[in-house]
Each structure stands twice: as C-alpha cells, then as structure tokens.
Amino acid sequence: MPKSLFQEIIFTIIMVFFMVYALICYNMTLAIGDFTNAVMLNAFKELVIMGPIAMLLDMLVAGPLAKKFTFRIFTPAETKPIFIILSISVFSVIFMCPMMSLVATILFKGGLLQSEIVSIWIKTTILNFPMAFFWQLCFAGPVVRRIFTLIFGR
C-alpha cells in the first residue's frame, strides 16, 4: 500500500479517522445506552483529542510492531498480499486497542487518580476489542484501502 513516508502519513490519517471516530461513537453509545445523531456530532469533539494521539501511537508504536510481527510470520515475496494486509490489520488492532482504551480511560473515565483505573482500562479494552477488530477487518480497512488507491493508484 503506502510506498513513502508521505503516503504512510496520509493512509494513517484516513485510517485514524475511520477507526477512532467509529470507536468514539461506539463508546458514547455504550455510555448513554443509545446511538443518536447527538452521539455522531459529539464524537467529532473527542476526535480532535483522540485523533492526534492515535496518529502518534500508530506511527510510533503499533504500526512498526504490527509490521515487525507480520514479517516474522510472512515473507512478502512468497505470500499473497491479502495475508500481509490482514495480518498487519489484526496486529494493529491488537496493539492499538489496549493503548487507546488506556488513553480513553485516563481522559474520559476518571483519570489516573482513581483506585479502579486498571479494572476500568481492562473492561474498556474488552468492550472495544470486538468492535475494533470487526470494524477494521470488515469496514474501515477495505474502505480506507479503496480511498487510498483512488488517491494514489496502485
């Protein structure tokens, strides 16, 4: 997919928007018990905070780790590209979900000073993981790759 640092940044910006916005909507819906137009609008306010954090965590931690783990399993010359794409996607969720759940726990669920921070973080990660996993594999990943291909070609 991305062939340069510039393309990697653009790809990450698009992916962060699709993933973080959806997960913010999901968490707001869990918190209030209903998915409404207000949830979709209010999610943009949190996206301004969570988006840049997700960008940094993905570019500096999750992305490199996802590629490292993927290329320990697969050899690009011998593997169909779809398996590499799916592996990077899965490992990205595996690394990003706990990190972003921790950020959300700190910023929106009581902060570092509460006695239950670890249990709240674990619960948040457990609730977010299935949504992040399936959203990434079934919607965000394919849509973002399509958008990226329309912008940059193959």
Side-chain angles (χ1 to χ4, degrees):
M1 294 285 328
K3 304 287 187 221
S4 67
L5 179 59
F6 174 73
Q7 288 184 1
E8 184 78 33
I9 290 168
I10 299 302
F11 183 86
T12 304
I13 288 169
I14 300 168
M15 185 64 76
V16 161
F17 173 78
F18 276 88
M19 287 299 297
V20 174
Y21 180 75
L23 269 293
I24 291 169
C25 288
Y26 175 72
N27 278 281
M28 286 181 167
T29 298
L30 289 177
I32 67 170
D34 195 15
F35 183 66
T36 64
N37 291 336
V39 166
M40 292 189 298
L41 290 173
N42 289 329
F44 285 109
K45 295 174 188 170
E46 281 189 30
L47 183 62
V48 172
I49 298 165
M50 298 296 279
I53 295 168
M55 268 295 287
L56 286 172
L57 289 174
D58 186 64
M59 295 288 292
L60 300 176
V61 181
L65 283 174
K67 290 172 188 163
K68 181 179 179 178
F69 278 72
T70 292
F71 296 125
R72 281 186 180 173
I73 298 169
F74 298 110
T75 305
E78 301 170 5
T79 306
K80 291 183 180 183
I82 189 65
F83 294 118
I84 293 172
I85 290 167
L86 291 174
S87 179
I88 291 172
S89 295
V90 168
F91 281 119
S92 292
V93 171
I94 287 169
F95 295 121
M96 284 297 287
C97 188
M99 289 189 296
M100 290 303 292
S101 294
L102 180 60
V103 170
T105 299
I106 292 168
L107 295 179
F108 303 110
K109 296 186 175 189
L112 291 170
L113 300 178
Q114 63 178 317
S115 62
E116 297 292 325
I117 188 168
V118 173
S119 60
I120 293 169
W121 169 52
I122 291 170
K123 177 183 176 183
T124 303
T125 301
I126 290 168
L127 291 172
N128 284 335
F129 190 84
M131 171 61 177
F133 184 82
F134 289 106
W135 185 254
Q136 169 58 237
L137 292 180
C138 298
F139 183 80
V143 168
V144 170
R145 285 190 296 279
R146 179 70 178 135
I147 292 169
F148 185 83
T149 301
L150 290 173
I151 295 169
F152 293 103
R154 292 204 174 264

